[in-house]
Amino acid sequence: MDNCIFCKIINKEIPSKIVLENEHVIAFEDLNPVAPVHILIVPKKHISDAMDLEEVTDYTYIKEVFKAIRKIATEKGISESGFRIVNNCKSDAGQTVEHIHFHLIGGKQLGKMVD
Ligand code: AMP
Ligand code: ZN
């Protein structure tokens, strides 16, 4: 998609600190980390948000997202201590990038999730 910042990261038009990449997903460091580990896992297909998951094949990407999360959490040493996976959907959740993504946040004791 034109003008999508995450599509541009996927297409290497803008730089990012990539931690994992394969056919289906890319994962990179969040620009403004809220914890020692804060990585965004992003399907390589432009899907806007969770409500835009329509086609059966879209769920292939979600499966790959969670496989990537397990791999990264293990590599980052937080598979036992734990972590949070966050997906913001649309405005009330504060979604700022309209390309579905999952925050993997950990490496410290996290506070309550919802204010
Ligand atoms: P959300 O608010 O759930 O849409 O999350 C968007 C996230 O993308 C925020 O945590 C931003 O810090 C992050 N972000 C925005 N632009 C970039 C970028 N160019 N590289 C890495 N992370 C980014
Ligand atoms: Zn996109």
Side-chain angles (χ1 to χ4, degrees):
M1 290 285 271
D2 299 345
N3 271 335
C4 170
I5 195 161
F6 288 173
C7 282
K8 286 182 177 161
I9 287 175
I10 289 162
N11 293 328
K12 311 285 164 58
E13 292 165 27
I14 60 171
S16 67
K17 292 185 181 168
I18 297 171
V19 298
L20 179 150
E21 182 171 16
N22 60 36
E23 182 190 348
H24 291 100
V25 302
I26 189 166
F28 50 88
E29 306 273 359
D30 194 291
L31 210 53
N32 297 113
V34 298
V37 177
H38 188 169
I39 292 161
L40 300 176
I41 297 94
V42 182
K44 283 189 170 177
K45 178 178 177 184
H46 183 92
I47 299 164
S48 298
D49 57 53
M51 291 308 297
D52 191 33
L53 287 165
E54 286 171 338
E55 297 180 23
V56 172
T57 52
D58 291 349
Y59 291 94
T60 302
Y61 288 90
I62 301 307
K63 181 183 76 178
E64 293 296 330
V65 163
F66 277 81
K67 283 168 69 177
I69 287 169
R70 294 183 76 248
K71 195 162 188 285
I72 296 163
T74 302
E75 285 171 6
K76 294 288 180 183
I78 59 169
S79 59
E80 295 298 324
S81 53
F83 51 85
R84 183 169 292 154
I85 301 161
V86 175
N87 168 245
N88 293 318
C89 180
K90 303 188 190 286
S91 62
D92 272 6
Q95 183 180 4
T96 57
V97 179
E98 291 180 9
H99 180 135
I100 194 169
H101 54 280
F102 295 78
H103 300 251
L104 169 57
I105 299 167
K108 71 171 189 179
Q109 182 66 56
L110 300 170
K112 292 278 183 202
M113 191 169 65
V114 177
D115 53 39

